[in-house]
Amino acid sequence: MDQALDDLRILDLTHYLAGPVCTKVLADFGADVIKVERPGTGDPARHLPPFPNDSPHPEKSGLFLYLNNNKRGVTLNLKTGAGACIFKELVGWADVVVENFRPSVLPGLGLGYEALGAINPELVMTSISNFGQTGPYRDFEATEAVYYALSGLMFSTGRADREPIKMGANVIQYQAGIQGAMHTLIALHGRETRGSGQHVDISIHEVQTGSIDRNTAMLMAYQYTGDVVHRGFQLDHG
């Protein structure tokens, strides 16, 4: 059966969560996704649980298998001339490159958007990073707790008589991945009009700050009424 994106060709340079979520969404709708992993260890998500019988194995991580089904896979060392050359050949075949390295990594390897766009002017490149490709925080590291705190949402999450906490799991990573997929499709739609590709810049922090999941409502409430949402209930210890 034909699928909505079965004519779309994607090179997936992502690892861990947010990037693989983006390419998973596109693959699940039929896109031909080639996941590029570094030789040896591969995607670090291969070493994250759950595992059958709690026995770690790089081919049996439930998280990795969930995020990377419907994809093909290759290994390439982009730090070598041969690996970079092969990748550039694949760029000529692809419609999209998705990556979630630090903003300085791919340009430092000669594989930034300008270099790849010179090979394939119609290429859409989606970059998912902690704080975006530009600005004073662009090279900062971050965790889910950092996104949650800097967005302001942590102020309202948890018990009133305890310290602030973040939500469980990695909700923000999944939100950023889904946003990456949607904005990739928007850029591809724009390509049909412009005839050229585009660099899509996804900041995980900005995704959380602008999230419609409570943040937007609370910011609007403060703007129009001055109301500040505090952390929830306080237990009676008497």
Side-chain angles (χ1 to χ4, degrees), residues 5 10 19-31 33 66-67 69-71 174 177-182 185:
L5 302 180
I10 299 174
V21 169
C22 171
T23 50
K24 172 183 170 56
V25 170
L26 300 172
D28 286 352
F29 281 93
V33 177
Y66 168 74
L67 292 175
N69 63 350
N70 290 333
K71 303 177 185 178
Y174 284 88
I178 293 169
Q179 289 292 323
M182 297 303 101
L185 294 177

Side-chain angles (χ1 to χ4, degrees), residues 12 32-36 68-74 93:
D12 179 1
D32 184 4
V33 177
I34 296 180
K35 183 177 180 69
V36 180
N68 295 285
N69 63 350
N70 290 333
K71 303 177 185 178
R72 297 192 286 168
V74 299
W93 162 88

Side-chain angles (χ1 to χ4, degrees), residues 43-62:
D43 185 341
R46 289 180 176 274
H47 306 281
L48 297 178
F51 296 100
N53 302 315
D54 292 327
S55 179
H57 190 285
E59 297 294 340
K60 296 181 180 180
S61 164

Side-chain angles (χ1 to χ4, degrees), residues 97-209:
V97 170
V98 183
E99 59 93 12
N100 64 338
F101 294 109
R102 292 191 307 275
S104 60
V105 170
L106 287 183
L109 296 173
L111 300 174
Y113 175 67
E114 291 186 1
L116 300 184
I119 298 171
N120 182 354
E122 295 187 353
L123 183 73
V124 170
M125 184 170 182
T126 298
S127 296
I128 303 174
S129 61
N130 293 322
F131 298 101
Q133 299 297 299
T134 59
Y137 283 22
R138 68 188 292 265
D139 293 314
F140 284 12
E141 296 183 359
T143 65
E144 193 88 358
V146 171
Y147 308 134
Y148 219 72
L150 287 179
S151 73
L153 190 56
M154 189 178 283
F155 183 78
S156 64
T157 306
R159 282 169 32 184
D161 58 340
R162 293 291 302 274
E163 64 278 355
I165 59 174
K166 76 173 188 71
M167 290 183 67
N170 296 287
V171 177
I172 303 168
Q173 300 278 334
Y174 284 88
Q175 288 181 340
I178 293 169
Q179 289 292 323
M182 297 303 101
H183 285 83
T184 297
L185 294 177
I186 292 170
L188 287 167
H189 181 72
R191 183 179 72 175
E192 297 180 4
T193 302
R194 297 187 308 272
S196 61
Q198 186 175 355
H199 192 187
V200 178
D201 181 4
I202 301 292
S203 161
I204 301 175
H205 169 249
E206 289 182 10
V207 168
Q208 174 58 23
T209 301

